Amino acid sequence: MRFFSDNTASVCPEILEAIHAANQELAVAYGDDPWTRRLDEVLGEFFGARVRAFVVATGTAANSLALATLTPPYGAIYCHHEAHIACDECGAPGFFCGGAQLERIAGEDGKITADALAATLDSMSVSVHSVQPAAVSISQATELGTAYRAAEIAALCEVAHARGLRVHMDGARFANAVAHLGCSPAEVTWRAGIDVLSFGATKNGALGAEAVVFFDPTLVRDFELRRKRAGHLLSKSRFVSAQLLAYVESGVWRRNAERANGFARRIGAAAGERLLHPVQANEVFVRLGAAGKAALRAAGFEFYDWGSPAAGEARLVASWDQSERHVDALCAALTAP
Amino acid sequence: MRFFSDNTASVCPEILEAIHAANQELAVAYGDDPWTRRLDEVLGEFFGARVRAFVVATGTAANSLALATLTPPYGAIYCHHEAHIACDECGAPGFFCGGAQLERIAGEDGKITADALAATLDSMSVSVHSVQPAAVSISQATELGTAYRAAEIAALCEVAHARGLRVHMDGARFANAVAHLGCSPAEVTWRAGIDVLSFGATKNGALGAEAVVFFDPTLVRDFELRRKRAGHLLSKSRFVSAQLLAYVESGVWRRNAERANGFARRIGAAAGERLLHPVQANEVFVRLGAAGKAALRAAGFEFYDWGSPAAGEARLVASWDQSERHVDALCAALTAP
Amino acid sequence: MRFFSDNTASVCPEILEAIHAANQELAVAYGDDPWTRRLDEVLGEFFGARVRAFVVATGTAANSLALATLTPPYGAIYCHHEAHIACDECGAPGFFCGGAQLERIAGEDGKITADALAATLDSMSVSVHSVQPAAVSISQATELGTAYRAAEIAALCEVAHARGLRVHMDGARFANAVAHLGCSPAEVTWRAGIDVLSFGATKNGALGAEAVVFFDPTLVRDFELRRKRAGHLLSKSRFVSAQLLAYVESGVWRRNAERANGFARRIGAAAGERLLHPVQANEVFVRLGAAGKAALRAAGFEFYDWGSPAAGEARLVASWDQSERHVDALCAALTAP
Amino acid sequence: MRFFSDNTASVCPEILEAIHAANQELAVAYGDDPWTRRLDEVLGEFFGARVRAFVVATGTAANSLALATLTPPYGAIYCHHEAHIACDECGAPGFFCGGAQLERIAGEDGKITADALAATLDSMSVSVHSVQPAAVSISQATELGTAYRAAEIAALCEVAHARGLRVHMDGARFANAVAHLGCSPAEVTWRAGIDVLSFGATKNGALGAEAVVFFDPTLVRDFELRRKRAGHLLSKSRFVSAQLLAYVESGVWRRNAERANGFARRIGAAAGERLLHPVQANEVFVRLGAAGKAALRAAGFEFYDWGSPAAGEARLVASWDQSERHVDALCAALTAP
């Protein structure tokens, strides 16, 4: 019974069907195909704004390419202490940006507050000797399974923009956050001030499909050249674009996210007092103790330790295709006396 | 009637079927799945050698990651003057290697000769002031649609190895070359001295699947870390691995390559005297003149200019799924008085 | 009356004399001259160990080149939250290391403790997704004017080495620390476990002379190539080497450091309760309040704010060539009622 | 009797005197000193134009930092096949530009012609797949001891500018070229279209002093940040600036260059038919044969082989402080029957 990661989930039928449908004879390569050419329009409707969108195959590529268009090599990127870009991408932002420096900010439940950002930026002495503040990156949902509310994002963006920084959102679990908040995609992105979004579908039912979505078209600049030289311009781009079109147009983005979120809420409820963070997406962080973890594993549940194994904390992730029976069993195990 | 590029071709049924078959419930992410775990063994059998293989989604990623494991940032990579890595990857080798320098060598029909390589290396004065010769990269089939014979490769590798350089092969059209030569995959790779191969399937019927195949396992070193930080570790790697397993195990690699090569040979024969290079894979380079090109296009044929438009040269590529009727029409048009 | 920085000081006569003495006819360029060739031996005697030493013109170059020989592009470098490499080198370590990530550790008085280092390293989950811990960098004297004792360094190095990390020391004010501690250069470097030292002379009386000193010759590897391609191999290296030889052989390193340290101690004593950190080198950090700073400046004293101007904190640096009269005046101003 | 390199020469008295004169008490560090602040004005007068000038310690730093301000990481830099930046800087342009690609152009006597540049640029197919042409770099004097005439430079710059490229001049031996041509510094720089110059003094009598001189101030952009993070912002910049001020204001730039050029002309005349290139600066390239080289060396002359030792070619460099007696001896040896 796997609660490892939504990265392990299968491809949902609507998306696999779209791949089939795109498999018709010869198309033009490298993104000049009918599917990719529809992307700006379809995502523009989804977000209720003019956008420029580019497909890539991984979230790390989306994040790092987006940040590299915002950040010079001598720039600084501000992110949460436990951000994916800081902890789980093997230094990708430094690589893509040509050496830019990550500046990490602490904050509860995986979030940076506007105040903490302002305090960090104000305490820095900026000169030719320092790195130059360039971008802020936040995750929605966060690494700790919480979701920023629109007002929180707007406050952060205001602090950043007032000081000349741009704001990137790592939306690897964007659908889960939006489904939880019950808001529109626009409310937590451009309307709140987000400049560029890594819009992930892979964790929520796609085979491998992410889009970098620019809400400010002046920022696109050299994105396409950076993507190409990083090996992220896919020759058969149509098969990635087709996944994203289906993801958005069929509504599976919300349906899958709601299913996973619902499971996570049930698991969170079963965990009760042992919860480490509010459950606002599809991840549940629980303090189980070494014995508790061992007991769950002995009962057939698979999941990752959170932090060092000795810490006794666990991460339980519900995927869009999780078996309901397994969730029932996990809840029962968590509530067993 | 499209003769643009094999990048525009569809996915062949056996490979699409393999993607379906891999779409079963939850697997472990990031390559620790049953499909990816079989890759070394299956490719090892294919090549008749112990190999270490890693999947990525694009040929540019495969080439650059392979070269980055062989080449320090102050290294030099020797390649043909018209190599894909020098002309068509937007500087990717420089990016992945942290600034390594490409040294280009001229040669007929897209090939470097052992003598030209030796002369180039011997004329360089190597010191702390110069870049340090590190790797040679050749393409099989070449950018000009020709195939290196095993003896040619062996001679090149001998020159390179004798001077401490490693040899990489860009095998974006590896199947086409092997099908033409009628040899085994081993003969033109490790037996001839190749250290690492970019083994491409995308142009020959896959959706998006390339493998970096190391024949010398001591060279693997930090490949996995470099892949991760470049955003090329796919969370759902099983869907790429499954394509490669099907490609090799079902024999479609050879069937598709032979079909495309056969078409190219027919087109080449129709071109006759106007051929610029021998046809030894699935690409045909023809001197048509401006009028000849315009006439073909007026007749509904789509293809790329080769070199500047004024040069009057055309590249015609036959894909694995090319319509026989279109090839008939093209041959007729080329032989029309 | 300037208390800005020891970077503003003049060149001491012994060192200027050595530059003159080296200005004899034609020498061999790029470090193959008699002065540079003596460096390993003379610094070896100074440190009481076999060393390999390389000259460069700036401390930033020394630090970054040293770290780049220890750290792969996907590596992590651990340093104090206020380290010069993190705050005052415009991202140089990220540039030289090809994107390596700085991980900052908090600690009192500018020091990392062995416990804090161990806790940081133990809390990191190292996998293909994370950066790879590679090096620790400490400053001696620290950015806050304190000096690590030999036992503190040894404890840090033990933690680092036990986990496979190497330890670099930024010794821009190395002489000041050694003069304060009254120890030998060996005690706080290789005997305590330091692998490589940036040995600075510029702040302490040289014109522009730093050496990267490797105590473990196996680490030297590609240092010379990295130095050359960064533009830090000086054609007339003899004039930098001659400065370092004079600095060490004439004993001015200690004499100059003691003079500056003595001034700083006097200023620190005058500051009394307002001191922010113990005075253990030639820098004094004082809480003066906005009014206090304004009053000092009105009286003709020049110095930098520490942190944001609003914070009311000041950094006062005593240089080797500081006028005693100015120090008298500053002490008087600080103790005035 | 050393004819190795002008890098081996001593510091000329006027420049050493200027270093002394700058050694007065405390100055402000990092270039905000009276010497550095005069640089733009003094070099502006020298070039007869408004300039922005920045000091660094080496020619490699000057070249690479200049090119990095002109060239994005996915850019291409066009240079002569034997350019110093391509052959003698250990890949520095690739490092500083974050991976930019050098495109080498052949040409007689170390020069690129406008026609060859135009042909190279026109034959390139520029798209998202290719590197993006960004800059041209020429050397004055060239690596082969020749000097571009103003009209040749203007023709090159016209080709480059018409296609949106900027032009850099590597002026490591700028004074030697200007002295030979008998022109003003303006004629072969901004008046001919040069955008940025590496203005070298080290080879012509300085201790270590180069300036990057921008004739188009809009190009300066992020130069200062790039210099700092590369470790090339010298804390005691005044000692480099003072050298350059003396070099230009005292006229030693021309006096030293003329002396060295005169020696080279005499050596060239003695070499007669064996000359490989016209002597238009202070370098002489001679075909001596293996026996001829051995004989010269046996007679006590030191010099470098040019190309592989077997080629029988030698480079003889005259320095500003060369002993006239040694030149007499060399000429005699070359003309001996």
Side-chain angles (χ1 to χ4, degrees):
Chain A
M1 292 175 285
R2 288 184 163 152
F3 293 87
F4 272 131
S5 167
D6 33 14
N7 283 319
T8 66
S10 61
V11 183
C12 82
E14 291 85 349
I15 291 177
L16 204 49
E17 176 52 37
I19 291 175
H20 271 273
N23 194 31
Q24 301 157 352
E25 55 182 41
L26 295 164
V28 180
Y30 294 117
D32 200 14
D33 59 74
W35 295 267
T36 306
R37 274 190 270 110
R38 282 189 62 218
L39 209 64
D40 283 0
E41 186 198 321
V42 170
L43 288 179
E45 250 171 72
F46 181 71
F47 285 105
R50 263 181 94 89
V51 304
R52 288 283 288 121
F54 302 93
V55 299
V56 294
T58 70
T60 295
N63 289 338
S64 289
L65 285 168
L67 289 168
T69 62
L70 304 180
T71 312
Y74 42 77
I77 300 165
Y78 297 81
C79 65
H80 187 269
H81 203 266
E82 303 189 53
H84 201 266
I85 61 168
C87 301
D88 298 294
E89 302 189 352
C90 197
F95 176 47
F96 281 78
C97 298
Q101 197 162 301
L102 294 181
E103 303 283 344
R104 289 150 82 163
I105 301 177
E108 286 194 11
D109 296 332
K111 294 185 191 174
I112 308 173
T113 65
D115 284 351
L117 176 63
T120 301
L121 290 170
D122 292 346
S123 72
M124 249 195 90
S125 167
V126 176
S127 73
V128 75
H129 303 287
S130 69
V131 284
Q132 307 295 302
V136 177
S137 178
I138 61 174
S139 304
Q140 177 78 320
T142 73
E143 289 306 301
L144 301 178
T146 57
Y148 281 96
R149 284 175 294 108
E152 292 173 319
I153 298 168
L156 271 168
C157 290
E158 201 182 309
V159 167
H161 290 160
R163 286 154 179 83
L165 287 79
R166 296 295 188 164
V167 188
H168 164 255
M169 176 177 277
D170 175 354
R173 294 187 181 93
F174 183 74
N176 300 92
V178 170
H180 167 79
L181 294 166
C183 68
S184 71
E187 286 175 72
V188 287
T189 55
W190 64 274
R191 276 206 199 128
I194 295 299
D195 295 297
V196 54
L197 168 72
S198 297
F199 179 55
T202 309
K203 290 181 198 291
N204 193 33
L207 186 154
E210 313 276 319
V212 178
V213 182
F214 286 90
F215 298 106
D216 178 345
T218 67
L219 297 178
V220 171
R221 284 204 324 266
D222 55 6
F223 183 90
E224 291 182 275
L225 293 160
R226 292 185 181 275
R227 178 174 61 169
K228 172 66 196 182
R229 79 197 287 260
H232 285 292
L233 174 58
L234 297 153
S235 62
K236 297 185 177 174
S237 293
R238 56 172 152 163
F239 294 109
V240 177
S241 301
Q243 292 180 59
L244 284 165
L245 295 177
Y247 183 68
V248 161
E249 293 189 309
S250 73
V252 297
W253 69 274
R254 189 184 288 275
R255 189 197 67 197
N256 286 354
E258 283 176 347
R259 189 167 190 268
N261 285 3
F263 288 150
R265 272 196 306 275
R266 287 185 52 204
I267 299 166
E273 302 278 296
R274 290 162 295 177
L275 264 189
L276 292 161
H277 306 289
V279 177
Q280 298 173 342
N282 63 322
E283 297 186 298
V284 186
F285 295 83
V286 200
R287 182 174 293 111
L288 293 174
K293 291 199 294 187
L296 269 195
R297 280 171 175 148
F301 298 98
E302 296 177 293
F303 55 89
Y304 284 119
D305 293 322
W306 192 245
S308 72
E313 303 181 353
R315 186 185 78 160
L316 301 158
V317 186
S319 297
W320 77 272
D321 64 346
Q322 201 82 39
S323 142
E324 187 151 13
R325 204 167 43 78
H326 290 177
V327 175
D328 294 343
L330 178 58
C331 291
L334 283 169
T335 50
Chain B
M1 292 176 285
R2 289 185 163 150
F3 293 87
F4 272 132
S5 167
D6 34 14
N7 283 320
T8 66
S10 60
V11 182
C12 80
E14 291 84 350
I15 290 178
L16 205 49
E17 177 49 39
I19 290 175
H20 272 273
N23 195 30
Q24 301 156 355
E25 56 182 43
L26 297 164
V28 179
Y30 294 116
D32 200 15
D33 59 75
W35 295 267
T36 306
R37 274 189 272 109
R38 281 189 62 217
L39 210 63
D40 284 359
E41 187 199 321
V42 170
L43 289 179
E45 250 170 73
F46 180 70
F47 286 104
R50 261 180 97 88
V51 305
R52 288 282 289 121
F54 302 93
V55 299
V56 293
T58 70
T60 295
N63 289 339
S64 289
L65 285 167
L67 290 168
T69 62
L70 304 180
T71 312
Y74 41 78
I77 300 164
Y78 297 80
C79 66
H80 187 268
H81 203 265
E82 303 190 52
H84 202 266
I85 61 167
C87 302
D88 298 295
E89 302 190 351
C90 196
F95 176 47
F96 281 79
C97 298
Q101 197 162 303
L102 294 181
E103 303 283 343
R104 290 150 82 164
I105 301 176
E108 286 195 11
D109 296 332
K111 295 185 190 174
I112 308 173
T113 65
D115 284 352
L117 177 63
T120 301
L121 290 170
D122 292 347
S123 73
M124 250 195 90
S125 167
V126 176
S127 74
V128 75
H129 302 286
S130 69
V131 285
Q132 307 295 302
V136 177
S137 177
I138 61 173
S139 303
Q140 178 78 320
T142 72
E143 290 305 302
L144 300 178
T146 58
Y148 282 96
R149 284 175 294 107
E152 292 174 318
I153 298 169
L156 271 168
C157 291
E158 200 182 310
V159 167
H161 290 160
R163 286 153 178 84
L165 286 79
R166 296 296 188 163
V167 187
H168 164 254
M169 177 176 277
D170 174 355
R173 295 189 181 90
F174 183 74
N176 300 90
V178 169
H180 167 79
L181 295 166
C183 67
S184 72
E187 286 175 72
V188 286
T189 56
W190 63 274
R191 276 207 199 128
I194 296 298
D195 295 296
V196 53
L197 168 71
S198 297
F199 179 55
T202 309
K203 290 181 198 290
N204 193 33
L207 186 153
E210 312 277 319
V212 178
V213 182
F214 286 91
F215 298 106
D216 177 346
T218 67
L219 297 178
V220 171
R221 285 203 324 265
D222 54 7
F223 182 91
E224 291 182 276
L225 293 161
R226 291 185 181 275
R227 179 175 61 170
K228 171 67 196 182
R229 80 196 286 260
H232 285 293
L233 174 58
L234 298 153
S235 61
K236 298 185 176 174
S237 293
R238 56 171 152 162
F239 294 109
V240 178
S241 301
Q243 292 179 61
L244 285 165
L245 296 177
Y247 183 68
V248 160
E249 293 189 308
S250 73
V252 296
W253 70 273
R254 189 184 288 274
R255 189 198 67 198
N256 286 352
E258 283 175 349
R259 190 167 191 269
N261 285 4
F263 289 149
R265 272 195 305 275
R266 287 185 51 204
I267 299 167
E273 301 278 295
R274 290 163 295 177
L275 263 190
L276 292 160
H277 306 288
V279 177
Q280 298 174 343
N282 63 323
E283 296 186 297
V284 186
F285 295 83
V286 199
R287 183 174 292 114
L288 293 174
K293 290 199 294 186
L296 268 195
R297 279 171 175 147
F301 298 99
E302 296 177 293
F303 54 88
Y304 285 117
D305 292 323
W306 193 245
S308 71
E313 303 182 351
R315 186 186 77 161
L316 301 158
V317 186
S319 298
W320 77 270
D321 65 347
Q322 201 83 38
S323 144
E324 186 150 14
R325 204 166 42 78
H326 291 176
V327 175
D328 293 343
L330 178 58
C331 291
L334 284 168
T335 49
Chain C
M1 292 174 285
R2 289 186 162 150
F3 293 88
F4 272 132
S5 169
D6 33 15
N7 283 318
T8 66
S10 61
V11 183
C12 80
E14 291 86 348
I15 290 178
L16 205 49
E17 178 48 42
I19 291 174
H20 272 272
N23 194 31
Q24 302 156 352
E25 54 180 43
L26 296 163
V28 179
Y30 295 117
D32 201 14
D33 59 75
W35 296 266
T36 306
R37 273 189 272 110
R38 281 190 60 218
L39 209 63
D40 283 359
E41 186 198 320
V42 171
L43 288 179
E45 249 170 73
F46 180 70
F47 286 105
R50 261 181 96 88
V51 306
R52 288 283 288 120
F54 303 93
V55 299
V56 293
T58 70
T60 295
N63 289 338
S64 289
L65 285 167
L67 289 168
T69 62
L70 303 180
T71 312
Y74 41 77
I77 299 164
Y78 296 81
C79 65
H80 188 268
H81 202 267
E82 303 190 51
H84 202 266
I85 60 167
C87 301
D88 298 295
E89 301 187 355
C90 197
F95 176 48
F96 281 79
C97 298
Q101 197 162 301
L102 294 181
E103 305 281 344
R104 290 151 81 164
I105 300 176
E108 286 194 10
D109 295 332
K111 294 185 190 174
I112 308 174
T113 65
D115 285 351
L117 177 62
T120 300
L121 290 170
D122 293 346
S123 74
M124 248 196 92
S125 167
V126 176
S127 73
V128 76
H129 302 286
S130 68
V131 285
Q132 308 294 303
V136 177
S137 178
I138 61 174
S139 303
Q140 176 79 317
T142 72
E143 289 306 301
L144 301 177
T146 57
Y148 281 96
R149 284 174 294 109
E152 292 174 318
I153 298 169
L156 270 168
C157 291
E158 200 182 310
V159 167
H161 290 159
R163 287 156 179 82
L165 287 79
R166 296 296 189 164
V167 187
H168 164 254
M169 176 177 276
D170 175 355
R173 294 187 181 92
F174 184 75
N176 300 91
V178 169
H180 167 78
L181 295 166
C183 66
S184 72
E187 286 175 72
V188 286
T189 55
W190 64 274
R191 275 205 200 130
I194 295 299
D195 296 296
V196 53
L197 169 72
S198 296
F199 179 55
T202 310
K203 290 180 199 289
N204 193 34
L207 186 154
E210 313 276 319
V212 178
V213 182
F214 287 90
F215 298 106
D216 177 346
T218 68
L219 296 178
V220 171
R221 284 203 324 266
D222 54 8
F223 182 90
E224 290 181 278
L225 292 161
R226 291 185 181 276
R227 178 174 62 168
K228 172 66 196 182
R229 77 194 290 257
H232 285 292
L233 175 58
L234 298 153
S235 61
K236 297 185 176 175
S237 294
R238 56 172 151 162
F239 294 110
V240 177
S241 301
Q243 292 179 60
L244 284 166
L245 296 177
Y247 183 66
V248 160
E249 294 189 309
S250 72
V252 295
W253 71 274
R254 188 184 289 274
R255 188 198 68 198
N256 286 353
E258 282 175 351
R259 189 166 191 270
N261 285 2
F263 288 150
R265 270 195 308 274
R266 287 185 50 205
I267 299 167
E273 301 278 294
R274 290 163 295 178
L275 263 190
L276 291 160
H277 306 288
V279 177
Q280 298 173 344
N282 63 323
E283 296 186 298
V284 186
F285 295 82
V286 199
R287 182 175 291 112
L288 292 174
K293 291 199 294 186
L296 269 195
R297 280 172 175 147
F301 297 99
E302 295 178 293
F303 55 88
Y304 284 118
D305 293 322
W306 192 244
S308 70
E313 303 181 352
R315 186 185 78 160
L316 301 158
V317 187
S319 297
W320 78 270
D321 64 347
Q322 202 82 40
S323 142
E324 186 149 13
R325 202 166 44 76
H326 290 176
V327 175
D328 294 342
L330 178 57
C331 291
L334 282 169
T335 48
Chain D
M1 291 175 285
R2 290 187 162 150
F3 293 88
F4 272 132
S5 168
D6 33 15
N7 284 318
T8 65
S10 61
V11 183
C12 81
E14 291 85 348
I15 290 177
L16 205 48
E17 178 48 41
I19 290 174
H20 272 272
N23 194 30
Q24 302 156 353
E25 54 181 43
L26 295 164
V28 180
Y30 295 117
D32 201 15
D33 59 74
W35 296 266
T36 306
R37 273 190 274 109
R38 282 189 63 219
L39 209 63
D40 282 0
E41 187 198 321
V42 171
L43 288 178
E45 249 170 75
F46 181 70
F47 286 105
R50 262 181 95 87
V51 305
R52 289 283 287 120
F54 303 94
V55 299
V56 294
T58 71
T60 295
N63 289 338
S64 289
L65 285 167
L67 290 168
T69 63
L70 304 180
T71 312
Y74 41 78
I77 299 164
Y78 297 80
C79 65
H80 188 269
H81 203 266
E82 303 189 52
H84 202 266
I85 61 168
C87 302
D88 298 295
E89 302 188 354
C90 197
F95 176 47
F96 280 78
C97 298
Q101 197 163 301
L102 294 181
E103 304 282 344
R104 290 150 81 164
I105 300 176
E108 286 193 10
D109 295 332
K111 294 185 191 175
I112 308 174
T113 65
D115 284 351
L117 177 62
T120 301
L121 290 171
D122 292 346
S123 73
M124 248 196 92
S125 167
V126 176
S127 72
V128 75
H129 302 286
S130 68
V131 285
Q132 307 295 303
V136 177
S137 178
I138 60 174
S139 303
Q140 177 79 319
T142 72
E143 290 305 302
L144 302 178
T146 58
Y148 281 96
R149 284 173 294 108
E152 292 173 319
I153 298 169
L156 270 168
C157 291
E158 200 182 310
V159 167
H161 290 161
R163 287 155 177 83
L165 286 79
R166 297 296 188 164
V167 187
H168 164 255
M169 177 177 276
D170 174 355
R173 293 188 182 91
F174 183 76
N176 300 89
V178 169
H180 167 79
L181 294 166
C183 66
S184 72
E187 286 175 73
V188 285
T189 56
W190 64 274
R191 275 206 200 129
I194 295 299
D195 296 295
V196 54
L197 169 72
S198 297
F199 179 55
T202 309
K203 289 181 199 291
N204 193 33
L207 186 153
E210 311 276 319
V212 178
V213 182
F214 287 91
F215 299 105
D216 177 345
T218 68
L219 296 179
V220 171
R221 285 202 325 265
D222 53 8
F223 182 89
E224 291 181 277
L225 293 162
R226 291 184 181 277
R227 179 175 60 169
K228 171 66 196 183
R229 78 195 289 259
H232 284 293
L233 175 58
L234 298 153
S235 61
K236 298 186 176 174
S237 294
R238 56 172 151 163
F239 294 110
V240 178
S241 301
Q243 292 179 60
L244 284 165
L245 296 177
Y247 182 66
V248 161
E249 294 189 309
S250 72
V252 295
W253 70 274
R254 190 183 289 273
R255 187 198 68 198
N256 286 353
E258 282 175 349
R259 187 166 193 271
N261 285 2
F263 288 150
R265 271 194 307 274
R266 288 186 49 205
I267 299 166
E273 302 277 297
R274 289 163 296 177
L275 263 191
L276 291 161
H277 307 287
V279 177
Q280 299 173 343
N282 63 323
E283 298 186 295
V284 186
F285 296 82
V286 200
R287 181 174 293 113
L288 292 174
K293 291 199 294 187
L296 270 195
R297 281 174 174 143
F301 298 98
E302 296 177 292
F303 54 88
Y304 285 118
D305 292 323
W306 192 246
S308 70
E313 303 182 351
R315 186 185 77 160
L316 301 159
V317 186
S319 297
W320 77 271
D321 64 347
Q322 202 82 38
S323 142
E324 186 150 13
R325 203 168 41 77
H326 291 177
V327 175
D328 295 342
L330 177 57
C331 291
L334 283 169
T335 49

